[in-house]
Amino acid sequence: MSNEFIPAAKPIVGDEERAAVDAVLVSGMLAQGAEVAEFEKEFSDVLLDGRGAVAVNSGTAGLHLGLLAAGIGPGDEVIVPSFTFAATANSVALTGATPVFADIELDHYCLDVDHVGSLITERTRGIMPVHLYGHPADLTAFRALADQRGIALFEDAAQAHGASFDGQQVGTFGDFAMFSLYPTKNMTSGEGGMVSTGDAGIERRLRLLRNQGMERQYENELVGFNARMTNLHAAIGRVQLTKVGGWTAQRQSNAAFLTENIQGVVPPAVAEAAVHVYHQYTVRVEEDRDGFAAALKDEYNIGSGVYYPIPNHRLPSFDRKEDLPNTEIAAREVLSLPVHPSLDTEDLDRIVTAVNALAKAGA
Ligand SMILES: Cc1ncc(COP(=O)(O)O)c(C=O)c1O
């Protein structure tokens, strides 16, 4: 058996992406143009059941502009998980609104619907669940809760390309949803984000906000940003879009193998109505998670990741005092094992052997 390092993530880019970028370079049309428009159409067809899609230059910009386009601003509250990447709450704070942190459910690490319900006040304008690790939040319940309370639903689908809930694709439930196209995500454009919305007003404002507030050149209608995606990035994304379905199936098959064979750690659960796309395969190590991760690397040459060791509400940038017990357990115990589509059966066997040996030894 080889002892080559198995990385926690491995972006796959090859000759087709290189040829696509080269064609854009040769065309001389580097900035946002026809490639971006095609990428938006194709992303919508493949992943959004035809819903509107607007490409931007990062997932974070997508969340920020989406919130602004939905009218979120100072004095408003948006309920978010604390157990997520900081971009979720940052994007709310950057609009001038206040992120209100809710707890998660421990089995799948997504927002707890009941806790979110208890935090809604007269200032709450929206709920933003995160489909963490590629597992969809309970979108049926969140859509119903938002409608019942007259507030908006925003999806942070950064990690969940192709996931679905109750047979419906993520990104088609919310007033808007954002998919990240960062290199370690299930598909990439190098850097980038895609925002989906079924609301024509939000879509138009998104298109204005990403381009200095202009639809027609030098006729700025509102104060905007330069958050445009380039044709170079869109060309990479278009190729990746043709492959993401196959990669997802491979991730799901790798995850099924791991769940069947690992012992002594808590495997990821999947809600009955959910299709999980395993951006991460995240287990809980109940004793000494950090020692376990160090031993995986030092003794078995296997990478892993902790997403996320410090909940957002305790980061110096927010410094809040909320009591979020499941969030604290998750931050202390989660460990993401390699699940990416480049793993072969030998890699998977090595991961199982290492995890089972370390769990048995109590790390
Ligand atoms: C849950 C979540 N939200 C938002 C983002 C931000 O996306 P990007 O890195 O493309 O700006 C990420 C990416 O890491 C993420 O994982």
Side-chain angles (χ1 to χ4, degrees), residues 190-201:
E191 284 268 15
M194 193 66 81
V195 187
S196 65
T197 181
D199 179 316

Side-chain angles (χ1 to χ4, degrees), residues 1 3 12 27 55 62 70 74 108 120 137 151 165 208 219 228 238 245 276 283 290 294 305 320 329:
M1 218 183 238
N3 192 36
I12 306 174
S27 80
H108 48 60
I120 295 175
I151 58 179
F165 196 84
L208 290 172
E219 294 181 24
R228 296 182 301 263
R238 291 182 69 191
H276 193 332
V283 300
D290 294 339
R320 305 269 191 80
I329 294 170

Side-chain angles (χ1 to χ4, degrees), residues 58-60 63 84-85 87-88 130 156 158-159 178 180 185 192 308:
S58 75
T60 306
L63 287 179
T84 173
F85 185 53
T88 312
V130 177
D156 183 337
Q159 306 183 357
M178 178 284 290
S180 168
K185 296 299 192 283
Y308 298 87

Side-chain angles (χ1 to χ4, degrees), residues 79-198:
I79 302 174
V80 296
S82 173
F83 191 62
T84 173
F85 185 53
T88 312
N90 282 351
S91 63
V92 174
L94 286 168
T95 68
T98 302
V100 172
F101 294 107
D103 210 354
I104 53 167
E105 291 189 60
L106 253 194
D107 46 1
H108 48 60
Y109 311 106
C110 294
L111 268 184
D112 178 328
V113 181
D114 292 337
H115 192 225
V116 169
S118 75
L119 293 173
I120 295 175
T121 69
E122 70 283 353
R123 282 158 42 118
T124 308
R125 293 282 311 281
I127 307 166
M128 185 145 71
V130 177
H131 308 317
L132 200 71
Y133 307 142
H135 185 291
D138 186 340
L139 285 164
T140 306
F142 280 117
R143 186 69 264 176
L145 178 63
D147 290 346
Q148 192 193 343
R149 305 299 289 264
I151 58 179
L153 177 66
F154 312 126
E155 296 175 63
D156 183 337
Q159 306 183 357
H161 315 66
S164 64
F165 196 84
D166 266 340
Q168 186 179 332
Q169 283 176 301
V170 306
T172 63
F173 289 80
D175 294 58
F176 79 82
M178 178 284 290
F179 297 82
S180 168
L181 298 165
Y182 184 74
T184 55
K185 296 299 192 283
N186 287 21
M187 61 170 283
T188 185
S189 61
E191 284 268 15
M194 193 66 81
V195 187
S196 65
T197 181

Side-chain angles (χ1 to χ4, degrees), residues 235-257:
I236 298 171
R238 291 182 69 191
V239 174
Q240 295 257 314
L241 193 57
T242 65
K243 302 182 176 177
V244 69
W247 289 334
T248 298
Q250 191 59 54
R251 285 177 182 275
Q252 289 164 332
S253 144
N254 293 347
F257 180 85

Side-chain angles (χ1 to χ4, degrees), residues 216-230:
R216 280 185 302 279
Q217 204 164 21
Y218 309 132
E219 294 181 24
N220 307 59
E221 296 174 42
L222 45 80
V223 177
F225 301 79
N226 174 358
R228 296 182 301 263
M229 178 178 277
T230 71

